[in-house]
Amino acid sequence: MVLFYILTTLTDLQGQTMTKLNKISFSKIDAPSKGIVVALAGEALATGAATAGLVGDLTGGLANVAEIGGFSGKKKTSLDLVAPGGLSLDRLIVFGTGAMDGLTRDDWRAFGGAVLASLKSAKAEAATIVLEAPEGEELDAELAAEFAMGAKLRAYEFDKYKSKKNDDKAKKTLKLTLQVADPKAARKAWTTAEGIADGVILARDLVNEPANVLGPVEFAAKAAELEALGVEVEVLGEKEMKKLKMYALLCVDKGSVSQKLIAIMRWNGGKKGAAPVALVGKGVVFDTGGISIKPAGGMEDMKGDMGGAAAVTGAMHAIAARKAKANVVGVIGLVENMPDGNAQRPGDIVTAMSGTNIEILNTDAEGRLVLADAMWYTQEKFKPAIMIDLATLTGAVLVALGNLNAGLFSNNDELADKLQDAAKASGEPLWRLPLSKDYDKLIDTPNADVKNTGGRWAGSITAAQFLQRFSNDVPWAHLDIAGTAFGAPKGDTCQSWASGYGVRLLNQLVADHYES
């Protein structure tokens, strides 16, 4: 049943502007004669025809000015000319693309982010970008849209709690005009790309919010807002979950005063009755570790322990916004893990929805308990073609892979290959790690069917082995995004603590393999 009352209990999360968004428009290539202009140059200062005409009257010529400035068109370098001599422009920024051979969607997205950073540094309020390939080749609409996406993602700031920010500055938006060969095609491509970018931004917003503002109720309400895009949303409360015997999930939240919820988001864009793609997300809105309490240092980061649920919600936004011709269901388990007189204890044994008895050795291994019931419910209720879960699950995956790759585990090689292809195409990298029956021995226990942790060694693998028991042989993959959802190195398209990792990846997977 849908808990409509959650929509009336929202905090100031709703209606807040948490990002400084750019207004992006497209027009024909026609080098402007005023304002701030960004032009592209490749190796050896190669330029397109419009740019060549634009800089033709530059005092000293582009080559001489570039030599003085130490600019050669090398990838992601720039030459910034204020009131350039011989031109009527306020500012000319020449941005280097390097050699055109081998440039990818990732590169063009990164270019957009890097150019946006330059314009922000210049405190620009409007700029025109002459988006033509330096070697004269026409830049296609999809790459122009990737450039625009990079700019929008780089513009993201989470500053709603900065009380001393300049209100006038906060109201300003940077207006970008992208001059392209085919504006109509670029606008169409941007409609799709912007929906994806908005999904990433939604995921970032959710992860960045503090837990006193974004609890399970507020998170479910944000999911319910997707109804405006045509997503069907249902929310299960504690009463419904008890009827379903979801005691693995319910035990996690026993020490918290917050509500326990499961939000179900359904996009029915494919053939009627076709088995859906199922996305399942861990949504622990704050994780103290429970009775097995975490060290104080860094515990504040555990407001992001719902990064998997955020990625699923953002992906559902992206899929719905571009009206994907696929059936997709997103299921997120929303709880809080707190220590309390009612909290579960190490040594407790709980029964999951599947009937599996789980011995709790460590209450800080709680995300897999949430996913156990959410995954079982998903495969039993929706009979999906595939099922993918995402979770900030283990610190062990950080030890193995750092912040650069998410861990991929799967019981199906074909699905794993599709995910790795989608990872390359979307720019959100994965690295596959092993599963085998030998690792199951590490989570065996004489006291129950399974224990919830295998100890220190192979921690991310034993967590995945635990989850595999609840896939019920559905083609399934587990993505451990503990290293990539937040705290990852900042880059051209993200300066935020929260990255929104997983949204582009999941959208790419659906687009490439599961649309009719």
Side-chain angles (χ1 to χ4, degrees):
M1 88 182 209
V2 180
L3 302 182
F4 289 102
Y5 71 89
I6 64 175
L7 299 178
T8 66
T9 61
L10 287 174
T11 64
D12 63 351
L13 176 66
Q14 189 174 23
Q16 286 283 349
T17 299
M18 292 182 266
T19 60
K20 291 183 175 66
L21 300 178
N22 299 308
K23 180 179 179 181
I24 299 176
S25 59
F26 298 86
S27 67
K28 274 279 191 185
I29 293 177
D30 181 20
S33 59
K34 61 181 180 179
I36 298 175
V37 174
V38 179
L40 306 183
E43 284 187 333
L45 302 183
T47 64
T51 300
L54 176 68
V55 300
D57 294 329
L58 183 66
T59 301
L62 178 59
N64 288 336
V65 174
E67 184 177 2
I68 294 170
F71 175 77
S72 64
K74 185 178 177 181
K75 194 175 184 179
K76 287 196 288 188
T77 61
S78 62
L79 176 68
D80 191 350
L81 305 174
V82 179
L87 303 179
S88 58
L89 303 177
D90 296 328
R91 194 176 202 129
L92 173 64
I93 299 174
V94 185
F95 182 82
T97 65
M100 289 296 294
D101 289 343
L103 288 182
T104 65
R105 289 171 53 191
D106 280 352
D107 289 319
W108 285 101
R109 196 183 312 115
F111 291 165
V115 167
L116 190 283
S118 295
L119 293 171
K120 287 181 72 173
S121 295
K123 298 181 180 180
E125 294 183 27
T128 300
I129 301 170
V130 183
L131 204 57
E132 61 174 350
E135 295 179 1
E137 297 179 9
E138 184 175 309
L139 191 67
D140 68 42
E142 284 71 26
L143 293 180
E146 290 289 345
F147 183 97
M149 183 193 291
K152 181 164 186 171
L153 292 178
R154 180 57 182 261
Y156 176 89
E157 294 179 15
F158 186 78
D159 61 359
K160 63 181 282 190
Y161 299 109
K162 291 279 190 180
S163 57
K164 294 183 180 181
K165 66 186 178 184
N166 185 315
D167 290 336
D168 291 335
K169 182 179 178 181
K171 293 176 183 177
K172 293 178 181 178
T173 58
L174 173 58
K175 298 178 181 179
L176 297 181
T177 300
L178 273 56
Q179 293 192 348
V180 295
D182 188 343
K184 183 177 179 181
R187 290 187 200 103
K188 183 178 179 180
W190 176 231
T191 298
T192 296
E194 186 173 30
I196 300 167
D198 287 341
V200 175
I201 288 169
L202 172 59
R204 288 180 183 177
D205 282 345
L206 290 168
V207 174
N208 277 325
E209 277 291 345
N212 63 317
V213 174
L214 186 76
V217 168
E218 292 79 16
F219 200 129
K222 293 302 291 183
E225 289 180 13
L226 297 183
E227 290 180 332
L229 296 175
V231 177
E232 297 176 6
V233 181
E234 180 182 6
V235 181
L236 305 182
E238 184 173 358
K239 182 179 178 181
E240 290 79 17
M241 286 188 277
K242 281 183 175 178
K243 287 183 179 179
L244 292 166
K245 299 182 179 180
M246 291 184 170
Y247 296 113
L249 183 152
L250 290 169
C251 74
V252 173
D253 203 282
K254 286 173 64 178
S256 174
V257 297
S258 68
Q259 294 185 52
K260 312 153 184 66
L261 302 172
I262 283 184
I264 302 142
M265 299 161 278
R266 298 189 68 179
W267 172 253
N268 300 311
K271 293 180 180 178
K272 187 176 181 180
V277 170
L279 311 175
V280 184
K282 170 189 171 184
V284 180
V285 296
F286 194 82
D287 180 22
T288 66
I291 297 300
S292 307
I293 197 164
K294 295 176 182 289
M299 193 191 288
E300 67 276 6
D301 287 352
M302 289 300 97
K303 70 177 186 176
D305 206 22
M306 28 60 69
V312 169
T313 306
M316 293 301 296
H317 182 287
I319 288 163
R322 66 178 184 81
K323 302 188 185 307
K325 295 179 180 179
N327 296 330
V328 186
V329 58
V331 178
I332 54 176
L334 303 171
V335 299
E336 184 178 42
N337 187 22
M338 299 288 282
D340 178 80
N342 294 317
Q344 68 173 338
R345 296 151 292 238
D348 285 359
I349 295 176
V350 299
T351 303
M353 181 184 175
S354 67
T356 302
N357 294 312
I358 304 167
E359 183 180 21
I360 309 301
L361 293 193
N362 188 326
T363 65
D364 194 25
E366 86 300 331
R368 65 202 69 182
L369 302 176
V370 173
L371 290 172
D373 279 344
M375 285 170 54
W376 191 264
Y377 171 82
T378 300
Q379 63 83 26
E380 191 172 80
K381 173 80 172 177
F382 299 108
K383 310 296 185 214
I386 62 165
M387 180 167 61
I388 301 167
D389 80 79
L390 295 90
T392 51
L393 205 65
T394 67
V397 82
L398 270 160
V399 175
L401 300 176
N403 297 104
L404 301 179
N405 287 269
L408 163 63
F409 304 82
S410 183
N411 64 2
N412 184 280
D413 290 341
E414 182 182 355
L415 175 57
D417 289 345
K418 288 177 179 178
L419 276 163
Q420 288 179 313
D421 289 344
K424 291 176 183 177
S426 67
E428 295 195 316
L430 291 170
W431 193 268
R432 191 174 184 184
L433 293 167
L435 290 173
S436 78
K437 290 182 179 180
D438 290 334
Y439 288 109
D440 267 332
K441 297 174 184 177
L442 297 177
I443 51 175
D444 285 341
T445 172
N447 302 317
D449 299 319
V450 66
K451 56 187 179 182
N452 77 325
T453 176
R456 180 180 181 186
W457 305 119
S460 56
I461 297 173
T462 54
Q465 292 287 154
F466 178 93
L467 292 176
Q468 184 174 216
R469 298 185 180 211
F470 302 92
S471 67
N472 204 18
D473 294 327
V474 171
W476 157 82
H478 161 59
L479 307 184
D480 192 335
I481 62 172
T484 53
F486 54 79
K490 292 177 170 55
D492 291 309
T493 60
C494 183
Q495 294 291 298
S496 165
W497 178 74
S499 67
Y501 178 95
V503 174
R504 298 201 313 268
L505 169 67
L506 295 173
N507 174 76
Q508 190 74 47
L509 177 74
V510 171
D512 288 348
H513 299 289
Y514 296 100
E515 293 201 46
S516 57

